[in-house]
């Protein structure tokens, strides 16, 4: 069994990775190219205005997305689900891992120690 916590989730998410994940979700849901282009421009604009407030002071993270932004949770979830669909689903299908669950940034993975030895 492996348990993990994604350290500082929001500030560690790659903005370009988030944008690519959003493009993926928009494409597979049948949106037209112009709609996708406009939505991606909006998301890029939001990501560039990446500020948060704490103790009456404003901050801009050097990387990732702002904590506390109304859109941060949605962007993080879209990115993580994209990664899970790309990698975790394959590992489950091939039996490399036998169980995977994630709740926000907490992850549990079960694997067969007879097949794999993690160091």
């Amino acid at each position: 069994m492996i348990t993990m916590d994604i350290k500082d989730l929001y500030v560690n998410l790659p903005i370009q990775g988030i944008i690519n994940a959003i493009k993926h979700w928009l494409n597979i849901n049948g949106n037209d190219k112009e709609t996708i282009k406009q939505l991606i421009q909006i998301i890029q604009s939001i990501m560039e205005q990446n500020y948060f407030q704490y103790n009456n002071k404003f901050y801009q993270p050097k990387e990732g997305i702002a904590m506390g932004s109304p859109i941060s949770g949605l962007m993080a979830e879209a990115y993580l689900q994209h990664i899970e669909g790309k990698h975790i689903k394959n590992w489950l299908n091939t039996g490399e891992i036998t169980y995977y669950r994630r709740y926000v940034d907490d992850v549990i993975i079960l694997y067969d120690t007879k097949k794999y030895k993690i160091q």
Side-chain angles (χ1 to χ4, degrees):
M1 175 172 59
I2 302 169
T3 60
M4 296 182 285
D5 178 80
I6 302 171
K7 183 174 173 32
D8 301 326
L9 175 63
Y10 292 148
V11 296
N12 282 313
L13 294 176
I15 290 177
Q16 191 57 51
I18 292 170
I19 291 169
N20 291 340
I22 298 298
K23 282 182 190 176
H24 165 79
W25 293 121
L26 291 170
N27 277 317
I28 66 168
N29 286 305
N31 293 285
D32 64 88
K33 291 183 187 286
E34 188 59 31
T35 300
I36 293 171
K37 179 182 172 187
Q38 290 174 1
L39 288 170
I40 293 302
Q41 287 174 340
I42 291 168
I43 291 168
Q44 284 176 322
S45 178
I46 291 169
M47 295 294 159
E48 289 169 6
Q49 300 172 32
N50 196 13
Y51 298 94
F52 65 94
Q53 182 180 3
Y54 178 73
N55 283 342
N56 295 321
K57 292 183 181 180
F58 288 91
Y59 300 91
Q60 184 176 25
K62 294 177 183 170
E63 296 180 20
I65 56 180
M67 297 176 288
S69 169
I71 199 168
S72 294
L74 176 65
M75 296 294 104
E77 188 64 26
Y79 177 72
L80 292 173
Q81 283 188 21
H82 179 67
I83 296 298
E84 289 168 343
K86 203 172 177 183
H87 300 289
I88 303 299
K89 184 178 178 185
N90 182 50
W91 294 333
L92 284 165
N93 290 339
T94 61
E96 292 180 60
I97 60 175
T98 56
Y99 181 84
Y100 172 88
R101 287 293 179 269
R102 175 181 59 84
Y103 180 75
V104 186
D105 65 345
D106 297 313
V107 177
I108 184 167
I109 297 172
L110 300 178
Y111 68 99
D112 186 348
T113 57
K114 293 176 185 155
K115 290 183 180 180
Y116 300 97
K117 185 164 182 91
I118 296 178
Q119 306 206 13

